[in-house]
Every structure is written in structure tokens, then in C-alpha cells.
Amino acid sequence: MENSNFIKTIMKNELEQGIVKSILTRFPPEPNAYLHIGHARAIITNFELSKYFGGGTNLRFDDTNPSKEDTEYVEAIKKDIAWLGYTPRTINYGSNYFDATYEKACLLIKKGKAFVCDLNQEQLSEYRGSISEPGKESPYRNRTIEENLRLFEEMKEGKYGNGEKTLRAKIDMASPNINMRDPVIYRIMHVSHHQTKDKWCIYPMYDFAHPLQDAFEGITHSLCSIEFEDHRPLYEWVIENCEVEAKPRQIEWGRLGITHMLMSKRYLKQLVDEHLVTGYDDPRMPTLVGLRRRGFTPNAIREFILSTGLSKINSTVDYGMLEHFLREDLKLTTVRPNVVVNPLKVVITNYPEDKTEVFEVENNPNDPNAGTRQVTFSRNLWIEADDFLAQPIPKYKRLYPDGPECRLKGAYLIKCTGYNTDENGNITEVLATYDPESRGGDPADGRKVKGATIHWVDAETAVDAEVRLYENLFNAVSPDTSSMEALLGDMNPNSLEVLTGCKVEASLADAKAPASYQFMRLGYFCPDSRDCAPGHLVFNRSVSLKDSFKPGK
């Protein structure tokens, strides 16, 4: 937040001019789904801006639509915010203000600015008009104040069925802004609420409840995405006519899109419901629980969001940019164990059969404080199958019969002398000799090593593991949400590859989430938070080693 943006400038000017004494923002999610990385932008922006000015941020659950809400989502949202590193000033619920909101609705009726309407949903749409045509006034618009108060009380007492009546603000049916054409501010909904249970059967609409809740809490700046810009006149109308003490200001910013990612709660729910993914925490999902399970760190997400800045225009950034910030974070902190995902055995024929050595290995060359760990070495090793060819191709510098010496990383120089096969001709093991005078990987006589450096795992102490390689869930840069059929056509059938029988060094035997590692030549990985357990190791690839994103371009 050291960099300036238009919202920060507004806040700074208002503080200097005495328009506000301090900054108080809020994050108001509806508890009807798991948060995704688009929500992370709202969380981080609200918390970081208020923190910069020494203010605070409230968490307020917008629970005015109980038919779609659940405490499962409430708890998940709390966990996500804490994981990102933020502590709300207070945790509130829109339902905490139902009594006060009801009183403000009665106030509007008494002022002649709200009325009970009997039009059904279809009729409401018909009377509303269009962008090019003004709406028509409801035949119930001129009911007396006394009748409206009585009917609204009867709505509250449960005397009418769902959709039978609504309470509407009385504004202007000819307004060019359709949101101002006598909008519905209360509807009947006979549904038990996860907080208030069966106390209420009428619930305020978001456009009425939200500005009032901001005012009740003393919010100074109500920050939201650009699609609410057309709703701002209604927000201000509610604040102006409901006689509230605080006068919050709504400010909108452009939404952030990420290539190959889908950020639609409705379609994400369909992916889960139709078992096209394993759940909201599937590591291919853009949800914060999914990104967390995949191995993304809070710091990487914060740095990514802050780097995108803020503007009034919707923007889309490349997914590679998000991966870049994860690599930048992980390369400084992760331990680098040896892991072989497509194992091929190497037998060092001149190494004693009953001998085992121990090497002291740096955990992270970038961090001198990361310490070291012990890695065993014996006659039988595992290497990647790609590190051996029976018949070499041009410029191949790894193991092949009578080929060049290769380094076993951190251990010895070896030279391939041959290989064995099974009855079907499949290679079962590579035979090699080692130079006992090359411990640490360098020859004692200083000769030049022409072969490549190969990572390995001691076969005597290796532990079996499953490794999951993830790619984008969608091939399309911008997934087609015109229909579920179109969306399915954009899905990547190769978004998950599961490798079994992988070999990991013994130091990973007790690995568990949350943790991150750099697997040599393979990428950054984390233990799967759902499936990984001692005796059944499962690692998810968070991101590959190759970084195509160039900052500043």
C-alpha cells in the first residue's frame, strides 16, 4: 500500500480536510459460498488501506437471504481471512441489525417514502420498464401511511405468503437509473435463518440493508466492485432519507480477472455439484481453500493482489503472474529434498553392499539460516527414468552405456557400464561404477566432468509417495460461461496427472500440511492437506520451476 491509488488519495484528502476523523472499512461477504481469489482482492484492499491510515476493518456477514446461506460458509470465510493474515476489528452479521433496519423501513413509510405493493414478481418486472422506456407506477403506490404501516406489520407477523407482498421505496419510476424505480426494499421469505432462526419472515434487500448497516457501524468508506456503481444513487438515497448519524461513502473499483480462471460462484458450485472437481478445496479451483491446499501462501497472494493496483476499469492479468509471486516467496524458504517421480534403479557395482554413508545437505542454499539435514547414500539408488537412455540421442549428457561421467548431486561421480532388462526387454536397472575419490561431486584430480548433474534417492531408505501434477482447470484464456455445455468444452482434460510409486527421501516420511518443498528439477510441492498421512504420502505440485512472467512487462 506504499504505492498510491485513487482510493488511497481520496482517503488521504478526506482525513486532511477533516471530512473523516479516521478510516473504517468493511468486508461484507454473503455466506453462501466459499471465497475465491477475486474476494481476496476485496479483503486485502480493505484491510491494507485501513491499516495504512491507522484505521480498522469490520467483517460483516451479509446474511439477508437465508435460503442460500449456511454456517459452513461463515466458518470458512473466517478461516480464510485469518489465513490471509488479517484480524477484523469486529465480526458482525447483517441480521444483528434486523430490528433497527425494520424501524428505518417504518420511518420511510411514515415519511411517505415507502409503500406496500401487491404486484407479483412478473408484474414488478413488467411495470419496471426498460432502459429506453420509463416504468409505470404501481396501482398500490398511493396507499395511505396508516394502511402501509398496518400491512407491513402484518407482513412481519407472517400473515402473507412468499411473494404475496413487498415493501418498496417510493422514488421515481421515470428515473433513467432503473435501480431508482421504486425498488423493493423488503420481501417475504418463510425460511429459517441460520442466526435468527424463525424470528423473521421478512428480510431486507441488499440495497436497503447494506447502506444502513454501514451507517450503523460508522463505516467511513464502503468499497465495492464496479458493478455496484449504478446502485450508488440508491445507496445515497437510503443514507439521506433514513436519518442515520454516520454518512458512509461508497467507492467502486474495477474487478480483477485472471486468465484460465473461472470466478463465478454459480458455475463453481456446478463444478462441485456435478463432481467435475473433488470439492471446493480441489487444488485446481480458484477458491482460497483450493489455493491453500495447492500450496499457495498468504504472502504470495497478498503481493500478487497489491501488485495489480486499483483502477475504475476491469482488468485481467495472466495466471503466470500469480505463479511468479508464489515462486518468489517459496524459493527463499523451502527445503529442497530429493524426489524421484518416475523411478529407475541404479546399482553402483563397485560400492560395498553393506555400506551406507551419510551426507550433510543444505536445506536451502538461499537461506543460510535454514540449516542442514542428513541424507543417506548406498549401493542402490533411484534416479529419474529420463536420466538414462539405452541408445543416446545427440547432445544427451546423462547416463548411457560408456557415456560420460555424471554427478550424483552432492555425492559422487558415476559412469554407466550397462543395464539389465526383464523377459519383455524392459529396463529394470542401470549398472554403474563410482569414483570413491569424488565425494561431494568433484573429482580429486580436477578433471572436467562432461555429464549432467543428476538427483537421486537412496533406495535403502526411500519412502513411497503419490505425486499430483496440476495444470489449469481451463484451457481457454477466458472460460465461456454462456452455458454449462460451453464451459465444459473449455475444461482441460489433462488438468490433473497422478503419479504413483514415486520415491522420496526419508526426511519426508512424516511430512504434513502446511509445508512447502522444492523438489529438485520438478517444482514446488506441498503435502496434501486432505489425503497425506504417515504411510500414505501425497504431494501436490503448487507451481513448476519455470517462470515465464517478467515483472514490469
Side-chain angles (χ1 to χ4, degrees):
M1 276 298 157
E2 288 301 321
N3 295 330
S4 63
N5 60 65
F6 75 101
I7 298 179
K8 182 179 175 183
T9 300
I10 289 171
M11 290 178 170
K12 180 175 181 292
N13 290 340
E14 292 187 356
L15 283 168
E16 291 175 348
Q17 295 167 20
I19 297 173
V20 296
K21 294 181 180 179
S22 61
I23 301 297
L24 181 60
T25 63
R26 85 291 169 268
F27 175 61
E30 184 178 0
N32 65 353
Y34 284 85
L35 300 183
H36 54 61
I37 194 167
H39 297 110
R41 189 185 209 195
I43 295 170
I44 292 167
T45 299
N46 275 286
F47 277 93
E48 291 292 338
L49 277 169
S50 63
K51 182 172 68 174
Y52 182 84
F53 292 106
T57 299
N58 291 354
L59 168 61
R60 183 176 70 240
F61 291 100
D62 170 35
D63 56 351
T64 57
N65 187 8
S67 64
K68 296 183 178 180
E69 297 159 1
D70 196 279
T71 53
E72 172 191 353
Y73 302 122
V74 169
E75 296 307 313
I77 290 169
K78 289 179 182 178
K79 185 175 180 180
D80 284 342
I81 293 172
W83 177 68
L84 286 173
Y86 299 112
T87 302
R89 174 178 169 270
T90 62
I91 298 178
N92 302 316
Y93 295 84
S95 54
N96 292 349
Y97 307 107
F98 279 174
D99 288 288
T101 305
Y102 176 80
E103 291 302 320
K104 292 300 182 184
C106 291
L107 174 64
L108 289 179
I109 294 174
K110 293 172 184 177
K111 294 170 71 172
K113 294 181 179 292
F115 66 98
V116 174
C117 184
D118 294 3
L119 295 179
N120 60 33
Q121 187 60 50
E122 184 179 343
Q123 291 168 329
L124 283 169
S125 298
E126 179 187 342
Y127 274 64
R128 198 180 190 193
S130 65
I131 295 176
S132 58
E133 296 180 356
K136 297 185 297 183
E137 291 187 354
S138 166
Y140 308 100
R141 195 175 195 265
N142 296 316
R143 279 172 163 159
T144 65
I145 290 174
E146 292 73 22
E147 184 181 9
N148 282 318
L149 286 172
R150 176 180 60 80
L151 291 172
F152 191 45
E153 178 68 19
E154 289 175 354
M155 288 170 59
K156 176 175 175 284
E157 292 172 352
K159 292 187 177 181
Y160 305 105
N162 293 346
E164 200 170 336
K165 294 183 186 296
T166 59
L167 182 69
R168 298 173 65 184
K170 190 185 293 187
I171 307 179
D172 180 7
M173 289 303 294
S175 172
N177 186 334
I178 293 180
N179 296 298
M180 300 296 282
R181 296 181 185 177
D182 292 5
V184 173
I185 59 176
Y186 261 92
R187 79 285 208 195
I188 299 170
M189 191 182 300
H190 290 274
V191 177
S192 184
H193 191 282
H194 63 92
Q195 291 290 321
T196 59
K197 307 306 178 187
D198 297 317
K199 178 180 177 180
W200 295 89
C201 64
I202 58 171
Y203 293 95
M205 300 297 288
Y206 176 86
D207 279 342
F208 182 60
H210 188 69
L212 288 176
Q213 292 163 9
D214 284 347
F216 295 153
E217 293 182 4
I219 301 300
T220 58
H221 298 84
S222 182
L223 310 181
C224 55
S225 49
I226 196 68
E227 66 263 32
F228 290 98
E229 185 173 35
D230 289 343
H231 295 249
R232 193 195 324 145
L234 179 53
Y235 183 100
E236 294 169 347
W237 185 92
V238 172
I239 295 298
E240 179 184 347
N241 287 280
C242 286
E243 299 179 10
V244 290
E245 183 177 346
K247 306 292 183 183
R249 175 179 181 178
Q250 178 176 305
I251 306 174
E252 309 85 20
W253 68 62
R255 300 186 71 172
L256 176 67
I258 303 173
T259 60
H260 304 286
M261 270 193 169
L262 174 69
M263 284 182 275
S264 160
K265 290 193 292 187
R266 179 165 69 93
Y267 280 110
L268 292 177
K269 184 176 187 302
Q270 279 193 264
L271 293 178
V272 174
D273 291 346
E274 297 182 20
H275 305 291
L276 298 169
V277 292
T278 58
Y280 283 103
D281 66 346
D282 189 301
R284 295 166 292 180
M285 292 281 272
T287 54
L288 294 182
V289 288
L291 291 169
R292 182 158 68 241
R293 187 177 171 196
R294 185 159 174 171
F296 276 81
T297 63
N299 187 61
I301 292 175
R302 281 197 305 271
E303 291 300 313
F304 164 72
I305 293 295
L306 294 175
S307 73
T308 61
L310 284 177
S311 73
K312 280 278 191 179
I313 302 172
N314 291 337
S315 60
T316 300
V317 299
D318 193 280
Y319 179 74
M321 182 177 177
L322 177 59
E323 290 186 314
H324 165 77
F325 283 100
L326 181 59
R327 290 188 189 93
E328 289 297 297
D329 190 36
L330 293 180
K331 74 179 183 182
L332 301 175
T333 59
T334 51
V335 176
R336 301 183 177 185
N338 284 331
V339 173
V340 173
V341 298
N342 187 14
L344 175 63
K345 181 169 282 188
V346 171
V347 179
I348 304 177
T349 55
N350 64 334
Y351 193 92
E353 292 187 21
D354 57 353
K355 182 178 179 180
T356 295
E357 293 182 73
V358 176
F359 290 88
E360 201 75 23
V361 180
E362 285 183 305
N363 282 326
N364 187 326
N366 293 326
D367 182 5
N369 298 317
T372 60
R373 69 186 187 284
Q374 292 186 334
V375 175
T376 61
F377 181 91
S378 65
R379 175 185 174 94
N380 298 310
L381 308 173
W382 295 108
I383 65 167
E384 292 289 351
D386 289 345
D387 287 335
F388 171 79
L389 284 180
Q391 299 294 328
I393 58 177
K395 298 183 179 180
Y396 187 77
K397 295 184 178 181
R398 302 176 196 177
L399 294 174
Y400 58 88
D402 298 322
E405 285 185 305
C406 293
R407 284 187 176 87
L408 292 175
K409 185 170 177 60
Y412 291 102
L413 299 179
I414 63 170
K415 184 177 177 65
C416 178
T417 58
Y419 58 91
N420 292 324
T421 62
D422 60 18
E423 62 274 12
N424 296 318
N426 299 310
I427 297 171
T428 57
E429 58 185 20
V430 175
L431 307 177
T433 58
Y434 87 117
D435 177 2
E437 301 302 318
S438 63
R439 183 182 167 97
D442 291 317
D445 61 7
R447 65 184 181 275
K448 185 177 180 180
V449 179
K450 297 181 179 179
T453 298
I454 296 171
H455 71 283
W456 52 275
V457 176
D458 181 7
E460 303 303 321
T461 58
V463 180
D464 287 340
E466 177 181 307
V467 171
R468 299 170 180 173
L469 305 180
Y470 291 98
E471 299 293 344
N472 291 322
L473 187 58
F474 295 95
N475 283 322
V477 171
S478 179
D480 186 348
T481 57
S482 61
S483 68
M484 195 61 189
E485 182 180 5
L487 188 65
L488 291 176
D490 282 345
M491 291 189 73
N492 177 8
N494 302 312
S495 60
L496 170 61
E497 181 181 2
V498 178
L499 305 176
T500 57
C502 304
K503 307 295 181 180
V504 305
E505 67 176 56
S507 66
L508 293 178
D510 298 319
K512 60 182 179 180
S516 292
Y517 306 96
Q518 185 191 117
F519 291 178
M520 189 77 61
R521 297 160 62 193
L522 297 174
Y524 294 96
F525 290 75
C526 68
D528 185 86
S529 57
R530 182 191 291 183
D531 300 332
C532 187
H536 180 67
L537 296 179
V538 180
F539 294 94
N540 298 327
R541 184 167 67 185
S542 308
V543 63
S544 63
L545 292 177
K546 185 178 180 181
D547 192 346
S548 59
F549 175 75
K550 302 300 180 184
K553 292 188 177 182

